[in-house]
Amino acid sequence: MTSQLSSPAPASAPEPTPRRRTVVLAAAATAALAPMSALASGTARAATSASGAPTFTHGVASGDPLPDGILLWTRVTPADGAEPGSGLGPDTAVDWEIAEDKAFSRIVAHGRVTASATSDHTVKADVRGLRPQTAYWYRFTAGGAVSPVGRTRTAPAAETTTAGVRFGVVSCANWESGYFSAYRHLAARADLDAVLHLGDYIYEYKSGGYPEAKYVVRQHEPAHEILTLADYRTRHGKYKTDPDLQALHQAHPVIAIWDDHEIANDTWSGGAENHDPATEGEFAARAAAARRAYFEWMPVRTSTEGTVYRRLRFGTLADLHLLDLRSFRSQQAATGSGTVDDPERTITGRAQLDWLKAGLAGSQATWKLVGTSVMISPVAFGSLPAHLLEPLAELLGLPEGGLAVNVDQWDGYTDDRKELLGHLTDRGIRNTVFLTGDIHMAWANDVPVTAATYPWSRSAGVEFVVTSVTSDNIDDLLHVPADTASLVAETAIKAANRHVKWLDMDAHGYGVLDVTAERSQMDYYVVSDKRRQDATAAWQRSYRTLNGTQKVERADRPVL
């Protein structure tokens, strides 16, 4: 097993009452707040300098940890007016350094990169020669300005038997839907090896397009739907000014993949649901602009240019296979057309599916983690009352008539799923855990080979789906209190899908995945109110899968 990243190509309102299903464990929700508080408090101060001088307004970030390396990122604003997407500003020398201590008395590596308008004044440093499974501190300087100090961590060595790894897990953060307090609570934890972002890091809609204008908490920039390279750069830049997002990147390395909204809603290889070539130009140009801005603004290695599927390894304990389920997929089937089973249709593309199958079969790690932006578990939506069909249709891409398939998920590409799950069972590949975002709900599922006969037939693995950071879910779409209308839908879905062990259609928050040799456990946390910047967080539920079982079971407490 190699010890490297593997890529396929080079005035305060009253505090809300806790939700009925939320159990507060203060020790878990506030784990290790003190060690990270110094990071967050220095963000704004370090980013400022005299007018006209360079600044680090957009913070710092790190990502894609290797046993001997880490990727560092920042964006320098070289002069007044050189804002994201502007194309303005001179080339600027940016120095970076990485140290074993926050005081930078033991600097282990340093270098210089150039920020230019060509890359929107974003820069990256791919640092190697570091020690495995070690915390480091890093910073940037330019023209007398000093960036915030970030903390990062390398991965365990390839053949190391490590006691455990722990990831924050997030997805679906719509700026206009609320505040990113989930990021703040993850930033406050000192016990994470990295944060896994499963997509929809940004949203492309015009202001008031989603959610409706009267429910917008804060406005996008630019206000129109983003189409051009300048647009995508501006939107990324706006997101990177959020203090909670800055704190997350400052505290932990982030491992990111994209889903559709980094480009456009329900993206496929040749188009998207909300792209009109007649008025918005060629989709290929829009997608290329979106991907270029993504690689400029995200701490993802440039060796993955053009795609985000890649593999990271964490000793002998876990391999993390990260998928790109937008760049190569066939157009979504017309619901009810019967073409979801067509073997010519694909969600992964042939090369990526072969790469994934080979990686799973060749892995010697105890756990095979798969980051998949959309749900792989089959879901039939059962018999639902009419008032619930419309919000589910809006959220999941279902027809308003309620036909039981979501064609944007693996349910719309059943031949690829059948091939992958058959590969897992035929090769006896155990301990496959799918980690999923996209649908703004929390789920814990077995992944059945044949859903119709489950649980009497086999489970090929398990799936943990995390809810959204802010993006609307059922109670938001219906504008009703949480745990009211959704309970009917949840009951119907579980009755029709015996492999679904739990789901929550209303919460917003994040997950914490803790992996040991004995089990992989997802702890689900919820925030009290996404519309409040000071929202609290609380543990809600935990599910785990024991080594060798390929099934989920409920755990009675989070990992502390």
Side-chain angles (χ1 to χ4, degrees):
M1 182 171 63
T2 58
S3 58
Q4 60 184 5
L5 179 147
S6 174
S7 173
S12 302
E15 182 65 23
T17 302
R19 299 181 61 217
R20 174 180 54 79
R21 289 179 290 188
T22 298
V23 178
V24 179
L25 285 189
T30 61
L33 294 178
M36 307 312 296
S37 61
L39 282 176
S41 65
T43 302
R45 291 196 307 272
T48 61
S49 68
S51 177
T55 63
F56 292 94
T57 306
H58 301 92
V60 299
S62 67
D64 282 357
L66 304 179
D68 68 339
I70 196 74
L71 185 73
L72 307 181
W73 175 96
T74 194
R75 199 263 180 183
V76 63
T77 303
D80 290 345
E83 300 304 322
S86 68
L88 302 176
D91 289 1
T92 302
V94 181
D95 294 305
W96 60 267
E97 53 190 355
I98 188 166
E100 294 178 329
D101 64 316
K102 189 183 176 186
F104 289 85
S105 62
R106 299 191 302 277
I107 295 173
V108 297
H110 60 89
R112 172 171 287 189
V113 289
T114 300
S116 70
T118 303
S119 60
D120 208 21
H121 289 98
T122 63
V123 294
K124 296 179 181 180
D126 196 350
V127 184
R128 301 299 174 96
L130 304 177
R131 291 186 288 115
Q133 207 166 3
T134 300
Y136 289 95
W137 305 82
Y138 64 96
R139 64 187 176 190
F140 299 85
T141 57
V146 182
S147 77
V149 173
R151 180 183 179 273
T152 192
R153 186 173 179 83
T154 52
E159 304 305 322
T160 297
T161 302
T162 185
V165 293
R166 186 175 294 176
F167 304 100
V169 188
V170 289
S171 73
C172 304
N174 186 5
W175 179 277
E176 295 210 326
S177 292
Y179 293 102
F180 297 160
S181 54
Y183 292 157
R184 172 168 47 86
H185 290 286
L186 281 171
R189 298 185 63 133
D191 59 341
L192 303 179
D193 292 280
V195 171
L196 176 60
H197 202 296
L198 294 167
D200 295 344
Y201 183 97
I202 66 167
Y203 277 72
E204 83 285 8
Y205 294 118
K206 68 178 182 180
S207 183
Y210 174 72
E212 296 176 60
K214 62 182 176 180
Y215 299 112
V216 167
V217 176
R218 49 185 182 161
Q219 190 172 344
H220 279 317
E221 288 184 19
H224 58 265
E225 183 176 338
I226 54 177
L227 296 170
T228 67
L229 178 59
D231 289 343
Y232 282 97
R233 285 170 165 175
T234 302
R235 187 66 57 87
H236 272 282
K238 183 64 173 179
Y239 268 67
K240 285 288 201 305
T241 64
D242 181 88
D244 295 331
L245 179 55
Q246 286 194 6
L248 179 77
H249 279 298
Q250 202 174 331
H252 308 297
V254 170
I255 301 166
I257 57 175
W258 57 47
D259 194 25
D260 53 339
H261 291 292
E262 285 87 349
I263 303 171
N265 185 52
D266 286 355
T267 294
W268 57 285
S269 60
E273 177 274 332
N274 63 335
H275 182 82
D276 181 0
T279 59
E280 297 176 324
E282 293 185 4
F283 177 76
R286 179 181 187 174
R291 293 187 178 102
R292 177 173 173 177
Y294 184 91
F295 282 107
E296 289 172 347
W297 279 88
M298 296 295 291
V300 174
R301 280 192 172 80
T302 54
S303 61
T304 60
E305 191 70 49
T307 184
V308 290
Y309 77 86
R310 62 201 190 278
R311 185 175 296 118
L312 293 166
R313 289 166 172 162
F314 295 84
T316 60
L317 185 61
D319 285 350
L320 175 58
H321 312 262
L322 299 157
L323 302 186
D324 177 354
L325 298 184
R326 294 295 169 182
S327 297
F328 312 105
R329 69 157 72 197
S330 308
Q331 186 173 8
Q332 292 86 348
T335 307
S337 66
T339 61
V340 296
D341 300 325
D342 184 348
E344 297 302 314
R345 301 184 67 259
T346 181
I347 191 170
T348 60
R350 183 74 258 165
Q352 182 176 198
L353 186 57
D354 288 345
W355 169 87
L356 176 60
K357 289 168 59 181
L360 292 168
S363 174
Q364 299 301 309
T366 304
W367 295 96
K368 293 81 177 170
L369 310 177
V370 181
T372 169
S373 57
V374 297
M375 187 184 289
I376 192 169
S377 301
V379 180
F381 288 89
S383 177
L384 291 171
H387 75 283
L388 290 176
L389 286 177
E390 185 175 352
L392 276 174
E394 182 178 345
L395 191 63
L396 301 172
L398 298 171
E400 292 188 11
L403 192 66
V405 63
N406 180 354
V407 295
D408 191 55
Q409 298 182 169
W410 288 74
D411 271 337
Y413 305 86
T414 61
D415 196 69
D416 276 0
R417 181 172 62 195
K418 180 180 179 181
E419 181 176 339
L420 177 57
L421 299 187
H423 178 73
L424 294 177
T425 55
D426 293 346
R427 293 293 192 97
I429 299 170
R430 304 191 308 167
N431 298 338
T432 303
V433 179
F434 295 94
L435 304 169
T436 307
D438 178 63
I439 58 172
H440 314 170
M441 306 175 191
W443 302 62
N445 306 324
D446 295 340
V447 182
V449 176
T450 308
T453 58
Y454 199 75
W456 298 280
S457 56
R458 301 178 65 180
S459 175
V462 303
E463 182 172 34
F464 297 126
V465 184
V466 295
T467 187
S468 65
V469 172
T470 61
S471 301
D472 286 0
N473 46 29
I474 295 299
D475 60 332
D476 301 314
L477 293 171
L478 289 173
H479 310 295
V480 298
D483 306 324
T484 54
S486 62
L487 296 181
V488 177
E490 291 168 5
T491 300
I493 289 173
K494 285 189 289 186
N497 302 272
R498 286 168 289 188
H499 56 282
V500 175
K501 304 307 177 184
W502 175 70
L503 75 156
D504 182 342
M505 292 182 158
D506 292 335
H508 300 281
Y510 58 92
V512 175
L513 179 73
D514 189 83
V515 182
T516 68
E518 293 75 30
R519 54 98 186 103
S520 289
Q521 177 167 321
M522 181 69 85
D523 299 329
Y524 295 88
Y525 291 84
V526 300
V527 296
S528 57
D529 186 347
K530 68 174 184 174
R531 299 176 67 87
R532 288 187 53 165
Q533 201 163 10
D534 62 349
T536 58
W539 172 71
Q540 182 185 31
R541 280 208 185 191
S542 293
Y543 283 84
R544 66 187 180 190
T545 178
L546 301 180
N547 189 333
T549 65
Q550 281 66 255
K551 293 185 177 182
V552 297
E553 63 180 28
R554 187 171 178 179
D556 61 3
R557 61 176 60 89
V559 178
L560 300 178

